[in-house]
Amino acid sequence: MLTLETHFPTIIGVSKNPKHHLLEKKLTNKCFKLEKKIKRGGQDWVARNTYTTLGTYNLCNDPDFTDINKFVTEQVITYCKAQNIDLNCLDTTPVDAWINIYRKHDFQEYHVHDHSMISASYYLQCNDSSAKIYFRHPVIDIMSPEITTYNNLNYQRISFKPQPGMILIFRSYLQHCVEQQKNDDLRICLSYNYRRKY
């Protein structure tokens, strides 16, 4: 009899901040203020219309974001402990954190977070119709089979619908993208990178 064993899983941590409602309005307004005075980052992105502070403003150094930064780091530590990742090898201070503001027609192409071990996406403002984030299977199949029914053993791509206060945590090598924002509502995401401690 054939037994199916699951090995080499792709693990994405999902959690929600119970105190998000206390932070959303204040920090959304702060993001708009930063957008007016901080130069747009992501100069090598294909999605150049999407406003980002990647490389131009680090949220780790902004005291207004302390509570969310602390929550994100706590969840990253929980993610590591669940997988028996030695926390002695992880720098639990994010190397960088930045804002991504998506307006109508904005998107983000598939990418990885170079020079990082663990990454996280925190959803500051969004709604039920906000653009989804997609993750791609980390193995490139050289001759892919036809699948009759998809499940968590054979997905090549999976998506998450963002929710206010939701955080997704994943290994930085995992390719991900954001589909095009289709409506006039705003989608604001905070992104984080954690590195190995050397």
Side-chain angles (χ1 to χ4, degrees), residues 60-178:
C60 299
N61 303 323
D62 189 323
D64 288 337
F65 288 87
T66 297
D67 289 341
I68 282 186
N69 294 346
K70 184 178 176 186
F71 170 78
V72 170
T73 295
E74 287 169 353
Q75 297 307 301
V76 167
I77 289 171
T78 301
Y79 171 89
C80 290
K81 285 181 176 178
Q83 298 176 70
N84 296 322
I85 293 173
D86 186 353
L87 289 172
N88 291 316
C89 78
L90 178 70
D91 186 347
T92 54
T93 301
V95 65
D96 51 10
W98 63 95
I99 302 164
N100 302 299
I101 300 178
Y102 296 84
R103 292 183 168 83
K104 191 172 184 178
H105 304 306
D106 289 345
F107 69 98
Q108 174 65 65
E109 68 268 19
Y110 270 111
H111 63 286
V112 298
H113 291 202
D114 293 336
H115 310 297
S116 300
M117 187 165 74
I118 293 172
S119 297
S121 294
Y122 183 96
Y123 296 96
L124 181 63
Q125 186 182 48
C126 55
N127 59 34
D128 285 343
S129 59
S130 292
K132 295 177 187 174
I133 183 172
Y134 285 82
F135 291 91
R136 197 183 261 171
H137 195 294
V139 175
I140 298 173
D141 196 340
I142 57 172
M143 188 177 287
S144 58
E146 295 294 327
I147 303 297
T148 57
T149 305
Y150 283 96
N151 59 41
N152 65 343
L153 295 176
N154 58 29
Y155 285 132
Q156 291 300 303
R157 185 181 75 172
I158 189 167
S159 66
F160 288 86
K161 181 185 289 188
Q163 300 170 25
M166 183 173 82
I167 182 174
L168 299 175
I169 305 166
F170 50 94
R171 288 295 307 279
S172 302
Y173 62 73
L174 195 58
Q175 288 192 33
H176 55 289
C177 72
V178 176

